[in-house]
Every structure is written in C-alpha cells, then in structure tokens.
Amino acid sequence: MTRSRVDSMRRLESEMAILLRRIKCVVAERARAVHPELQPSGYLILAWLTDHGPARATSIVENLDIDKGAVSRLLTQLADLGLIIRGPDPADGRATLISASDTAAQRVADATAGLRKRFDDKLGDWPDENLANFVDLLSHYNKTLGTSP
C-alpha cells in the first residue's frame, strides 16, 4: 500500500468516526422528538416501519441487523408508548404485523423534515453537483462495505 493510500485510509477512519458520532447524536435527538422515553434503536425501528410499511418482527431483525431479543424488547417499549400497532398478518393468521401508529408516523415525519431542513441550511452553499457527487460516493461506499468479504 502506498504512503498516500495509507494516509487516505487514516483520514477515512478519522472522518468516519466523526460521522458516526454525529449520526448517534442525530438519532438520539430524533428519538427524543418522537417521544422523550424513546431509545435511539426504537427510533430506527419506527423510521424503518414508516418507510417500509407493516412488517413482521423477523423482517425488522433482518433488515436492521439488530439482535432478535433487542428487537423484541424495543417492540414492547414501542407498544407501551403507543407508537406501534400490532395486528394479524393477512398472509398468515398465525403471524403478527407491526406498523407505526399514526401519531408515531407523523412525529417521525416531523423529525425527518426538521433534519432535512438543517442539512439544507448547513449544505446550502454546496453546488447541487457536489452534493449529488457526495451522495453517489457515499452510496458506492456503503454498497462496497455491504458486500461479502
């Protein structure tokens, strides 16, 4: 590996650490905006449900890569807070579908709109082309890391 590449990898590691800390703060803030007692992981489940619609707990586990036991505990908390609705799966009456309550979906939408506004304010001086290139590169990065070793 060239010295330049090693330096780039070190910078990447440093920048990703900063990004991860910011993401954790944003998710925690959005969770509190939905409900003061909502855990950040619970917020991630709600946001996923609002994006993808009703789902079985197994789908949540698989798509969010969260431990099955943790998902079960989070779903209990979400139900206790009135943020999800459980109902029968029309495709299999033995299974349960979980969906975000109307209140939760609206609060998630409000939190998302607020974050997008903040992003737009902070990145307002970025030319559209730079923003599109950054998003494309980030998408490529995520796809690359998501592939099998």
Side-chain angles (χ1 to χ4, degrees), residues 126 129-142:
W126 282 34
E129 183 179 328
N130 287 10
L131 182 58
N133 287 338
F134 175 72
V135 171
D136 289 344
L137 288 169
L138 187 58
S139 176
H140 182 68
Y141 172 85
N142 285 328

Side-chain angles (χ1 to χ4, degrees), residues 4 7-8 12 17 23 28 41 45 58 71 76-77 95 100 113 115 128 139:
S4 173
D7 288 344
S8 291
L12 174 64
I23 289 169
S41 296
I45 290 173
T58 54
V71 167
T76 297
Q77 182 200 32
L115 180 63
D128 290 349
S139 176

Side-chain angles (χ1 to χ4, degrees), residues 110-121:
D110 292 346
T112 299
L115 180 63
R116 285 190 183 142
K117 169 107 176 63
R118 276 196 355 226
F119 276 162
D120 191 42
D121 291 346

